[in-house]
Amino acid sequence: MAHSPEVTSNFIYNIISKDVAEGKNGGRVHTRFPPEPNGYLHIGHAKAILLNYRMAKAFNGKFNLRFDDTNPAKEEQEFVDSILEDLRWLGVDWEDRLFYTSDSFELKYEFARRLIKAGRAYVCDLSQEEIRQYRGTLTEPGKESPYRNRSVEENLDLFERMRNGEFPDGSRVLRAKIDMASGNLNMRDPVLYRILHTSHHRTGNKWCIYPMYDFDHPFTDALEGITHSLCSIEYSDHRPLYDWVVANALELMPEVIKTRSRQIEFARLNLTYTVMSKRKLRRLVEEGHVFGWDDPRMPTIAGLRRRGVRPSAIADFTERVGVARADSTIDLALLEHCIRQDLQDHAHRMMAVLDPLKVVITNWPEGKTEMLELENLPGDESAGVRKVPFGREIYIERDDFMENPPKSFHRLAPGREVRLKGAYIIKCDEVIRDRDGRIIELRASYDPRTKSGGDASGKKVKGVIHWVSVAHAARITVRLFENLFTQEDPEGENEEELFANLNPRSLTVLENVPAEPALAAAAPGSRFQFMRKGYFYLDPKDAEEGKIVYNLTVGLRDSWAKQMQKGQ
RNA sequence: UGGGGCGUUGCCAAGCGGUAAGGCACGGGACUCUGACUCCCGCAAUCGCAGGUUCGAAUCCUGCCGCCCCAGCCA
């Protein structure tokens, strides 16, 4: 079993504990995940999703799913569907609480009206460029809009006419009246509503004004009863505005707003050798560097799923990376470790030879086939056994043979013996070459006394290698993957250089790979360990077209290869 | 020259005034019909730096240094 580490304490858990102990919001805990449907979810989102979900669970609270669809120009149904699929696959449960921020546009409109009546919001006619200029800079205060002191009546009238579609895009906005001299730019009369004559994927053409995130998000949190609104660190600067909106909602909309929601920020996940930015991921897809959002090389949930990673591995990983406020980049090796550990006790062992070299066992009778019994999962009898055909000609991996091996090499070499997994011990007698000197075949002899399970020979060999019978081999396609990026920190690279130097070996397709017959008969979506190679996943998407394609999920650790590398 | 954050081993990360958890990576060894898995052992005289408070500081105070984020009618 994949064992989870002790749930180490984290600062968010500590904050929530304290809030509960103090009886805030009646001691309730209610979290949410608020994706914008404008892209696919990636493993960084998984961290956020599971953090929110776990916090709710840990305190016997609730978890909502809410699509943040305040910008119709960027959002699409395709992404809503993919996000839903990914979340279900991850195993989070929002019960009956699937919401869209657009569900409450009407209430927000009313809230905006009350803000106007309270003299805390106004319609501003400044152009986008003027608003920018009036905002000031990081070091200089802004100046007040000339429209800042319009009467409540005029503001109410103008705002209603904005809603009624009387004004073109960009001509007016609704702004909060806060503080143009604030050191925090977010507080310099932030825009609350803008005019957008764009059809929305849910509300159609009902609205032509749409709320901004900073106005919508805190209100919606409070409306849904969210007690702890977890988000990434770049929103820290927005917290005063978040609090401003929640406080006003509580005061001005007491009939529907009861919760004093609180925002807590944490550092987003970064992984070595991969990018998490939505834009760069989109670029990989749109420029055709990968097959799609679900390409197994992508760090998307869909990509990881298609690679063969199980949700339990992602859950384990997101627990192990921890939660903190410091910027960090997690070593890809940790993810790979979690994936291997998760598959270790589940994936049945099979044999396939990725880089075949033929071996003829000269003392094995021509035409004779023996059905050998192999365990599916050594150490776990409940996983059962299977029959694997063995014959006179077999394939072994080319690198399991060395003509002039160092003494530490435990595999096959001229005059040396090795055990064929689950079969017999063979000795290499002869090396056959083509006219170019390339090794094309080995001749070997087997020792009949050494049959696996009943070896009476007393022989001890160091090496055990996998094999596939030539006469019975099924043929499969195998896809091997390497990182898309060769740089450890691609996010920190110059983007054009980054895309000009993508790893040319990120994908290797091996056709006609000899494999034991069971691999061709497996159900789509099956996961196996190809012995001594790695974990592989029978691609369900290709299976729909009748193709048998195995994707590499993650390779096995290989201390021999590591040793060889060191020697060079 | 403004505001908000962050700095604990190669990478993460506990720690919240009482004398540096854990994981990954790495090195060594055992075991092994997967050079996998598993199991042992090793891996921070020190917590960005410098002062100060204290019997005692990674934890408190002061000052430096370094890194990240913010000037969308994006989220």
Side-chain angles (χ1 to χ4, degrees), chain A residues 526-545:
Chain A
S526 296
R527 296 177 177 85
F528 298 104
Q529 183 196 100
F530 289 5
M531 292 201 94
R532 303 206 306 132
K533 284 293 159 189
Y535 294 97
F536 289 83
Y537 179 65
L538 181 47
D539 194 315
K541 206 160 168 178
D542 289 294
E544 281 172 23
E545 296 163 30

Side-chain angles (χ1 to χ4, degrees), chain A residues 105-125:
Chain A
F105 276 171
E106 196 65 56
L107 265 180
K108 288 157 193 164
Y109 177 79
E110 174 56 23
F111 177 40
R113 282 173 49 83
R114 293 192 195 175
L115 240 17
I116 292 173
K117 287 182 194 162
R120 298 172 199 169
Y122 61 98
V123 172
C124 180
D125 301 357

Side-chain angles (χ1 to χ4, degrees), chain A residues 165-457:
Chain A
E166 292 185 29
F167 310 119
D169 287 5
S171 58
R172 278 178 236 264
V173 291
L174 182 73
R175 291 228 251 171
K177 191 185 289 187
I178 305 182
D179 177 10
M180 289 308 291
S182 172
N184 182 342
L185 298 264
N186 295 117
M187 300 301 271
R188 319 240 264 228
D189 287 12
V191 172
L192 268 23
Y193 269 91
R194 77 285 216 187
I195 300 173
L196 241 35
H197 290 269
T198 303
S199 177
H200 184 279
H201 74 112
R202 300 206 92 224
T203 59
N205 295 316
K206 180 170 183 201
W207 294 90
C208 62
I209 57 171
Y210 292 93
M212 297 288 290
Y213 169 88
D214 280 322
F215 172 73
D216 187 285
H217 199 83
F219 182 87
T220 310
D221 277 346
L223 180 67
E224 290 180 14
I226 302 303
T227 56
H228 300 270
S229 183
L230 313 184
C231 64
S232 51
I233 216 96
E234 65 265 31
Y235 289 101
S236 300
D237 287 348
H238 296 246
R239 194 181 339 122
L241 181 50
Y242 183 99
D243 292 340
W244 185 92
V245 172
V246 170
N248 278 98
L250 246 11
E251 179 191 338
L252 271 18
M253 299 282 280
E255 74 278 23
V256 289
I257 302 296
K258 320 276 187 200
T259 302
R260 187 172 295 276
S261 305
R262 164 177 194 180
Q263 173 178 300
I264 304 170
E265 314 88 22
F266 62 92
R268 55 199 308 165
L269 173 70
N270 295 297
L271 257 188
T272 56
Y273 299 103
T274 118
V275 295
M276 228 60 99
S277 107
K278 216 172 255 185
R279 237 197 64 259
K280 290 188 186 119
L281 292 176
R282 189 192 313 276
R283 202 176 150 182
L284 285 170
V285 173
E286 288 175 354
E287 291 181 8
H289 298 115
V290 294
F291 301 133
W293 289 97
D294 65 345
D295 187 298
R297 290 166 292 179
M298 295 283 276
T300 50
I301 302 300
L304 290 164
R305 178 168 61 231
R306 202 168 166 197
R307 202 175 175 119
V309 174
R310 305 198 310 169
S312 43
I314 293 176
D316 183 32
F317 173 72
T318 57
E319 260 173 46
R320 288 181 188 237
V321 298
V323 193
R325 291 183 62 93
D327 290 344
S328 65
T329 302
I330 308 295
D331 193 337
L332 224 210
L334 178 61
L335 209 213
E336 295 182 335
H337 169 83
C338 293
I339 296 170
R340 284 190 200 101
Q341 180 146 295
D342 177 61
L343 258 15
Q344 164 68 21
D345 298 328
H346 296 276
H348 287 190
R349 308 292 131 107
M350 293 279 168
M351 296 193 289
V353 178
L354 304 186
D355 184 14
L357 173 62
K358 193 201 269 186
V359 178
V360 178
I361 301 166
T362 53
N363 61 339
W364 184 275
E366 302 244 13
K368 177 184 172 187
T369 295
E370 179 172 3
M371 296 305 287
L372 299 167
E373 192 167 84
L374 289 256
E375 293 172 292
N376 287 139
L377 205 49
D380 180 359
E381 283 182 24
S382 69
V385 296
R386 69 184 185 287
K387 301 282 193 187
V388 183
F390 182 79
R392 189 168 199 263
E393 299 189 340
I394 58 168
Y395 291 114
I396 66 168
E397 296 286 349
R398 195 162 272 279
D399 65 8
D400 279 340
F401 173 78
M402 256 184 116
E403 205 162 13
N404 298 297
K407 62 179 186 302
S408 59
F409 187 75
H410 300 156
R411 285 108 93 147
L412 203 58
R416 287 210 206 172
E417 294 190 313
V418 77
R419 157 145 250 130
L420 295 176
K421 173 72 192 176
Y424 301 87
I425 290 176
I426 59 169
K427 182 164 93 179
C428 175
D429 302 316
E430 192 184 350
V431 178
I432 311 288
R433 302 164 182 283
D434 63 13
R435 41 256 139 231
D436 300 323
R438 185 177 140 87
I439 298 169
I440 52 170
E441 183 182 310
L442 302 177
R443 295 284 161 86
S445 48
Y446 86 108
D447 182 341
R449 299 168 304 167
T450 60
K451 182 170 174 181
S452 188
D455 191 335
S457 72

Side-chain angles (χ1 to χ4, degrees), chain A residues 43-55:
Chain A
I43 188 153
H45 293 115
K47 171 184 174 180
I49 292 158
L50 293 169
L51 174 63
N52 275 290
Y53 189 58
R54 285 186 190 119
M55 287 303 126

Side-chain angles (χ1 to χ4, degrees), chain A residues 94-113:
Chain A
W94 52 89
E95 299 174 336
D96 58 350
R97 293 178 305 281
L98 164 59
F99 301 122
Y100 291 81
T101 214
S102 53
D103 291 342
S104 44
F105 276 171
E106 196 65 56
L107 265 180
K108 288 157 193 164
Y109 177 79
E110 174 56 23
F111 177 40
R113 282 173 49 83

